[in-house]
Amino acid sequence: LRVRARLRITGRVQGVWYRGSTQEQAEALGVDGWVCNRPDGAVEAVVEGPRGAVEALIAWCHDGPSLARVAEVAVAYEAPLGERGFSVRR
């Protein structure tokens, strides 16, 4: 079953290689979607794929890369749109 989740990650998550690390994790898990920095200092990600892989990426996002200090990961599930590949958006 393919699922899609939109994440809003807050804390010290910009300038700490969060987006690049998320892309690496997503590709390792076989998850599609994208990640970007938001003007308010948060990171937003859309992840789509098998439920177990999406849940594993969400769990990873609670810690992120070693320099990150994640305060919160808000998750909203949406209807899958057929994302393919995983990109870092500017």
Side-chain angles (χ1 to χ4, degrees), residues 13-88:
V13 292
Q14 290 191 11
V16 294
W17 192 244
Y18 199 99
R19 292 175 302 161
S21 297
T22 302
Q23 182 180 32
E24 290 173 358
Q25 289 293 319
E27 290 173 350
L29 291 165
V31 173
D32 302 304
W34 51 266
V35 62
C36 71
N37 282 342
R38 295 188 43 86
D40 63 5
V43 167
E44 181 179 14
V46 167
V47 296
E48 194 171 310
R51 178 175 295 280
V54 168
E55 296 291 341
L57 186 60
I58 292 169
W60 178 87
C61 285
H62 283 273
D63 291 320
S66 61
L67 293 176
R69 297 294 174 264
V70 177
E72 181 183 12
V73 178
V75 180
Y77 286 91
E78 304 173 348
L81 297 179
E83 298 277 350
R84 289 290 176 251
F86 198 94
S87 64
V88 174

